[in-house]
Amino acid sequence: MNLGVNSMSVTTSSASWKSDAVSDQFPAGLRVLVVDDDPTCLRILEKMLRNCRYEVTTCGRAEVALKLLRDNKDGFDVVISDVHMPDMDGFKLLERVGLEMDLPVIMMSADDSKSVVMKGVTHGACDYLIKPVRMEALKNIWQHVVRKKKNEWKEKDAEQSGSVEEGDRQQKPTDDADYSSSANEGNWRNSRKRKEEEDDGDDKDDSSTLKKPRVVWSVELHQQFVTAVNQLGIDKAVPKKILELMNVPGLTRENVASHLQKYRLYLRRLSGQPQNGLGNSFLGPQDSGFGSISSLNGLDLQAYASSGQIPAQSLASIQAAALGRVTNKSGIVDQRNIFSFDNPNMRFLDGQQHHSNGKQVNLLHGIPTNMDSKQLAALHQSGQPFGNTLMNVHSQSGQSNSLLTQMVQPQSRTQMLNEVGGNPVLNFPSSVGQPGLSQAIPGSVFSRYGMDNNNVRPLTYTSLSQPTSVVEFSRSQGMELSGNSIPLTSNSGIPSYTSKGTTLQEEVNSEIKGSRGFLPNFDAFNELSQNRTDTWDLQNVGSTFETPQHSNIQSRLDVAPSVLVQPAFTSDHRNGHIRTTSVNKAAFSAATSLGNGTNFGQQLTPSHADSALRIKTERLPDMGFQNSLFPDQLGQDDLMSTLLKQQQDGLAPVENEFGFDEYQLDNLPV
Amino acid sequence: MERQAAYLRNALFDQGYLDEQFLQLEDLQDQANPHFVEEVVKLFYTDSVRLIQSIELTLKNTPRDFEKLDKIMHQFKGSTTSIGAKKVKKECTQFQEYCNVGNVEGCIREFQEVKQEHAALKRKLENYFQVFHVVHLAREAR
């Protein structure tokens, strides 16, 4: 590998970075999600984890946990789950989390029989704790996070070498950095690292590099992959054969294997989920949840980005989301790549014209002229720019930031805004949402932004990690609604939003301003708080998204991001620890306070009132800052309620993905 | 009063009502959460009611559904373990053994024991917490 040189430089920077506050505080602030149907145990675990200075989110039901994870792609570092739960087998949850979010999962049970423990191992659990769990056992769970990150980087590195993306170079340094500072950086795939890398000059782009170099599954690459898989037959497709068929120099079997795994999961999800509006058909069988979604998102983002507005951000988010990995805080990996792939993407998309919406196409067309002609053309070419984007995003997760930044800056936002009707992004999410774009996007987007403070600044405030991605979706969705109102169905929440888009827009605009104010904080935060780079990034991303986004989206996004952002800031300032939690809480609080306008609120409130409220109540004190934000969102109440109502209509799968986003958006006081 | 609180507490341990898990709970109690232990215990008793009812119903309707009985008891036992209810836990294990061998009579009988221990511990803990409250208030007043 040619990482040598890079790694050295990176290492150095990493080392210096390590001395940052973050490293001192790690593992404090580790974001843990605890799932257990036993309220007594849950309470005890929560207290224990808090005493370890971790950020805890509790959940009484596996379904809720999954939703939480999906909606906050980059919001958690580790999951602890009980084995025996009434609504879902703990191992099943373990599988899902591993496939979809690729987070370390620790199982626990009073049952210590060998067979059960073995089951945990075979299902991929990082650890197995016997109840009653002791404090000592919990204190060391951070090791699993670090280990996983380390392995991921390694894998990414390997993949990178085989990747055809430009991002390789950037990614590699990241890997090295990761290796060198696994403990510190492990958790925070965030901008810090990227920044470091940038400083070293490793990054090609302005934006920070990926935290974790992953194989950049560009649209083209993915297309080749899918073709190979289809040729072999999905059942018979083995990584080795796929690799041979693809005949891509540098691509390793491991790369293909992991991508195949994700793809399969994506397919499974597609077949198992009802149509969320655009979603399923759109992505088609091609993209495994992650890949396709990312590409879709990517495209949208691209479109947007090109228009100079949020797109950059969205792309990043989408890409981030697509990657489905929170770790890529680095933001948009290869924005450049994405754009450069426009044409290829377009082709890719064409092939995937699954999504039912012509809307998507419209969106593309609708895209403001600001967009680079090339991009626009690319977008227009395929009805499904999204697909391509996703691919790009997927592969370029790390570089997107730079791209976005670049894109965004030169373009005027207003143009994008005008495009409300034709938000490809909007369409995009819907279709993409299904596979899990929504999930992917939030994570990725956020990460991107977080990392690249400098670049993302304007975007930052808009994009809140989770909310952002969510916002993306919601916006897209909302947009769609206004335009076509199709995709939104799945997002339930969005449609309502869309109609109110105009209003929101105004609100958003004002919010945007508000968020702007945050930017400075962000930067400060970035520097200060390593704790939750992820979280933070998310916030940034969220905010970024929101503002540039079109009216509808913006309004939504702004709300969300601001909420998230703000809490983040607050917490950062105050605690430096509770970032994630704050965000979550903020979201919760916001949602709750807003009357659960967003899906999230709904979901939380009706079904998981306990956990949600609990979280909210617990957090509220921390978020004094946050509370002040809420008033801003009051205007969003009706939207929220509408959204909520829609969500209740049971857009299940999609809702999860989008709904949440909406919710988050709302919450953001911005 | 303080001595009484300490006495009550120690007795619970000495008499085997509580085990070291309860100590873990006490360790978690701090200034910010001065009544954490009580909170958890209350949570346990509130939640365990439905589990007990569920077992009773099953014993009444389908007493031979050992799998179900075992499953519910497993949940119940998990809770009792987490608060360190030693005696209750012992009875739970015994109950599960009867389930394993398919002894309905044994299950029914044993379940009565479980309930008894469950209730006994509750009284003792309530008593203890009352005293503890007084002590705590007194301490804060100082």
Side-chain angles (χ1 to χ4, degrees):
Chain A
M1 300 279 190
N2 31 342
L3 300 175
V5 178
N6 290 338
S7 53
M8 293 213 290
S9 53
V10 174
T11 307
T12 314
S13 46
S14 317
S16 55
W17 178 71
K18 270 192 257 188
S19 56
D20 282 355
V22 172
S23 50
D24 295 339
Q25 293 175 18
F26 180 81
L30 192 73
R31 296 160 307 165
V32 187
L33 175 67
V34 189
V35 190
D36 194 336
D37 63 309
D38 183 346
T40 313
C41 287
L42 205 58
R43 181 78 187 95
I44 296 173
L45 282 166
E46 184 188 20
K47 188 70 172 74
M48 282 183 176
L49 289 165
R50 290 252 169 81
N51 279 20
C52 293
R53 302 202 298 158
Y54 294 154
E55 275 193 35
V56 190
T57 308
T58 59
C59 221
R61 288 166 55 82
E63 296 290 354
V64 177
L66 268 177
K67 190 186 278 263
L68 261 175
L69 286 165
R70 287 189 186 129
D71 290 347
N72 304 281
K73 265 295 153 131
D74 218 1
F76 299 101
D77 296 308
V78 60
V79 179
I80 302 181
S81 171
D82 187 33
V83 167
H84 301 285
M85 290 192 285
D87 65 329
M88 187 195 284
D89 182 30
F91 294 117
K92 200 137 103 33
L93 175 66
L94 161 63
E95 268 178 358
R96 301 253 76 186
V97 174
L99 279 171
E100 289 180 33
M101 297 108 203
D102 195 32
L103 286 175
V105 181
I106 296 170
M107 301 304 293
M108 57 174 182
S109 176
D111 192 347
D112 63 349
S113 56
K114 190 170 136 204
S115 58
V116 183
V117 179
M118 178 62 90
K119 213 171 161 196
V121 172
T122 54
H123 281 74
C126 297
D127 203 352
Y128 192 101
L129 306 175
I130 306 293
K131 283 186 180 178
V133 180
R134 296 174 67 84
M135 182 88 163
E136 297 82 69
L138 290 178
K139 264 205 274 191
N140 291 328
I141 60 174
W142 59 266
Q143 61 174 295
H144 301 294
V145 180
V146 173
R147 191 177 298 123
K148 199 164 183 94
K149 283 222 172 90
K150 208 165 151 66
N151 291 339
E152 276 180 348
W153 280 321
K154 257 189 220 154
E155 178 198 305
K156 244 195 185 288
D157 193 23
E159 291 180 342
Q160 287 300 335
S161 57
S163 162
V164 299
E165 304 305 326
E166 310 168 355
D168 287 357
R169 195 168 79 83
Q170 297 178 1
Q171 295 172 344
K172 291 198 182 117
T174 315
D175 272 346
D176 295 328
D178 289 343
Y179 288 142
S180 53
S181 57
S182 61
N184 296 328
E185 302 186 25
N187 290 343
W188 322 131
R189 14 170 193 198
N190 37 26
S191 48
R192 294 287 158 112
K193 225 163 117 56
R194 283 185 297 211
K195 270 195 193 167
E196 288 297 337
E197 293 173 355
E198 284 176 0
D199 295 343
D200 294 338
D202 289 331
D203 297 350
K204 291 206 282 195
D205 300 334
D206 304 337
S207 62
S208 47
T209 52
L210 291 172
K211 272 178 24 163
K212 286 202 232 187
R214 287 173 193 257
V215 169
V216 182
W217 282 88
S218 68
V219 174
E220 267 176 349
L221 203 60
H222 182 77
Q223 186 65 52
Q224 280 179 274
F225 169 82
V226 175
T227 311
V229 169
N230 290 338
Q231 247 179 279
L232 295 165
I234 189 66
D235 292 331
K236 293 219 180 76
V238 286
K240 189 159 190 289
K241 293 212 180 111
I242 299 173
L243 187 64
E244 282 168 20
L245 273 177
M246 283 177 73
N247 194 24
V248 172
L251 192 65
T252 73
R253 198 200 67 84
E254 289 79 33
N255 299 153
V256 176
S258 67
H259 193 70
L260 176 66
Q261 189 187 41
K262 292 188 194 135
Y263 186 57
R264 283 222 176 97
L265 178 64
Y266 165 72
L267 292 181
R268 217 185 301 157
R269 276 166 52 81
L270 281 186
S271 57
Q273 290 184 355
Q275 283 292 337
N276 289 329
L278 307 179
N280 296 339
S281 57
F282 178 77
L283 288 178
Q286 304 215 3
D287 301 321
S288 45
F290 293 112
S292 44
I293 302 183
S294 343
S295 45
L296 287 177
N297 293 331
L299 284 180
D300 286 340
L301 289 175
Q302 284 186 351
Y304 278 123
S306 41
S307 51
Q309 300 199 1
I310 306 179
Q313 299 174 357
S314 349
L315 282 175
S317 51
I318 295 182
Q319 294 183 347
L323 292 179
R325 306 268 180 123
V326 176
T327 55
N328 290 327
K329 287 307 183 83
S330 51
I332 310 208
V333 182
D334 293 332
Q335 284 288 331
R336 291 179 303 174
N337 295 338
I338 300 177
F339 292 109
S340 57
F341 282 103
D342 282 344
N343 290 322
N345 293 337
M346 302 310 285
R347 277 186 264 117
F348 179 77
L349 289 175
D350 288 330
Q352 302 189 349
Q353 297 263 355
H354 298 285
H355 56 121
S356 47
N357 314 334
K359 291 168 199 184
Q360 294 187 345
V361 179
N362 294 339
L363 288 180
L364 288 179
H365 295 292
I367 295 181
T369 44
N370 287 340
M371 290 183 61
D372 298 339
S373 48
K374 143 179 124 166
Q375 292 174 355
L376 283 172
L379 288 172
H380 289 290
Q381 286 173 23
S382 57
Q384 326 219 351
F386 302 115
N388 295 337
T389 324
L390 286 180
M391 295 305 290
N392 289 328
V393 174
H394 194 61
S395 50
Q396 304 168 352
S397 50
Q399 308 185 353
S400 45
N401 279 336
S402 50
L403 284 178
L404 285 182
T405 320
Q406 294 167 3
M407 304 269 326
V408 176
Q409 290 167 359
Q411 316 260 353
S412 62
R413 299 220 180 132
T414 39
Q415 303 233 342
M416 280 302 294
L417 291 175
N418 296 333
E419 283 303 291
V420 175
N423 298 324
V425 175
L426 291 179
N427 289 325
F428 182 72
S430 3
S431 48
V432 178
Q434 297 279 334
L437 279 180
S438 55
Q439 301 177 8
I441 301 190
S444 50
V445 176
F446 292 120
S447 50
R448 300 246 190 124
Y449 288 104
M451 307 248 333
D452 195 359
N453 290 328
N454 300 329
N455 295 330
V456 248
R457 193 130 0 154
L459 300 177
T460 11
Y461 65 86
T462 344
S463 53
L464 290 182
S465 49
Q466 308 217 342
T468 324
S469 47
V470 172
V471 175
E472 278 298 317
F473 283 105
S474 13
R475 286 194 290 197
S476 329
Q477 306 230 339
M479 303 290 278
E480 289 245 282
L481 287 180
S482 42
N484 309 297
S485 67
I486 297 181
L488 296 182
T489 26
S490 49
N491 298 322
S492 60
I494 306 183
S496 52
Y497 255 103
T498 327
S499 48
K500 307 212 181 172
T502 337
T503 323
L504 287 175
Q505 187 166 19
E506 291 164 359
E507 293 175 341
V508 171
N509 290 333
S510 51
E511 288 182 334
I512 299 180
K513 290 190 202 144
S515 41
R516 290 216 186 100
F518 288 111
L519 289 178
N521 293 339
F522 262 125
D523 295 342
F525 268 29
N526 280 335
E527 274 132 41
L528 299 175
S529 47
Q530 286 293 344
N531 294 344
R532 294 286 165 171
T533 319
D534 294 345
T535 321
W536 185 78
D537 291 340
L538 291 178
Q539 295 177 344
N540 289 334
V541 174
S543 39
T544 332
F545 274 107
E546 308 225 315
T547 30
Q549 297 273 350
H550 299 282
S551 54
N552 291 338
I553 303 184
Q554 286 188 332
S555 44
R556 268 195 261 193
L557 295 175
D558 288 331
V559 178
S562 52
V563 172
L564 290 177
V565 174
Q566 296 189 354
F569 285 115
T570 319
S571 40
D572 286 336
H573 286 300
R574 297 180 191 172
N575 321 313
H577 291 308
I578 313 182
R579 220 162 343 158
T580 321
T581 338
S582 323
V583 175
N584 291 336
K585 286 205 223 174
F588 281 96
S589 316
T592 334
S593 60
L594 290 176
N596 306 319
T598 46
N599 297 333
F600 185 79
Q602 277 187 350
Q603 290 156 354
L604 290 179
T605 320
S607 38
H608 313 287
D610 295 345
S611 29
L613 291 180
R614 187 188 344 184
I615 294 175
K616 184 175 137 182
T617 18
E618 289 173 352
R619 306 252 182 230
L620 283 180
D622 297 332
M623 323 277 331
F625 180 81
Q626 178 182 10
N627 290 334
S628 60
L629 295 175
F630 288 137
D632 298 338
Q633 303 177 358
L634 291 180
Q636 310 266 348
D637 285 349
D638 348 345
L639 290 175
M640 297 293 240
S641 14
T642 323
L643 280 176
L644 288 174
K645 258 195 249 148
Q646 303 221 353
Q647 298 185 357
Q648 286 166 348
D649 290 342
L651 294 182
V654 176
E655 270 191 332
N656 294 342
E657 313 198 292
F658 296 108
F660 248 152
D661 296 341
E662 308 248 10
Y663 165 86
Q664 298 195 340
L665 295 177
D666 291 331
N667 293 332
L668 299 175
V670 178
Chain B
M1 204 54 165
E2 278 199 30
R3 237 177 309 156
Q4 190 181 0
Y7 171 78
L8 284 173
R9 178 189 167 278
N10 292 342
L12 284 170
F13 280 99
D14 294 340
Q15 290 164 18
Y17 283 99
L18 298 174
D19 59 26
E20 63 269 6
Q21 182 60 22
F22 195 82
L23 291 174
Q24 289 264 321
L25 295 188
E26 288 183 326
D27 281 346
L28 291 173
Q29 195 158 268
D30 50 27
Q31 247 188 340
N33 303 74
H35 299 286
F36 177 73
V37 183
E38 188 183 355
E39 184 194 333
V40 174
V41 170
K42 275 203 184 135
L43 207 53
F44 165 73
Y45 274 100
T46 308
D47 186 57
S48 57
V49 167
R50 63 173 179 88
L51 289 172
I52 287 179
Q53 281 175 351
S54 181
I55 294 179
E56 261 173 346
L57 208 61
T58 311
L59 280 174
K60 184 160 155 243
N61 298 338
T62 54
R64 295 209 75 86
D65 193 346
F66 296 109
E67 198 182 314
K68 181 173 177 191
L69 286 170
D70 185 74
K71 192 158 164 255
I72 307 171
M73 182 47 84
H74 178 85
Q75 280 183 57
F76 179 75
K77 187 172 156 198
S79 286
T80 62
T81 313
S82 65
I83 68 160
K86 196 168 171 186
K87 282 197 177 178
V88 183
K89 176 174 158 193
K90 191 161 139 246
E91 304 298 339
C92 289
T93 310
Q94 191 65 32
F95 179 90
Q96 282 183 305
E97 301 212 340
Y98 280 119
C99 284
N100 285 345
V101 299
N103 185 341
V104 178
E105 276 262 327
C107 280
I108 296 176
R109 254 185 303 123
E110 188 55 41
F111 188 61
Q112 296 309 312
E113 295 291 324
V114 171
K115 281 196 289 182
Q116 263 178 35
E117 289 297 338
H118 181 257
L121 179 64
K122 183 175 181 191
R123 283 194 305 272
K124 289 194 183 284
L125 284 174
E126 274 174 350
N127 194 21
Y128 165 68
F129 286 128
Q130 265 177 12
V131 178
F132 180 84
H133 264 278
V134 175
V135 171
H136 181 75
L137 286 172
R139 272 203 211 120
E140 293 203 324
R142 279 190 217 136

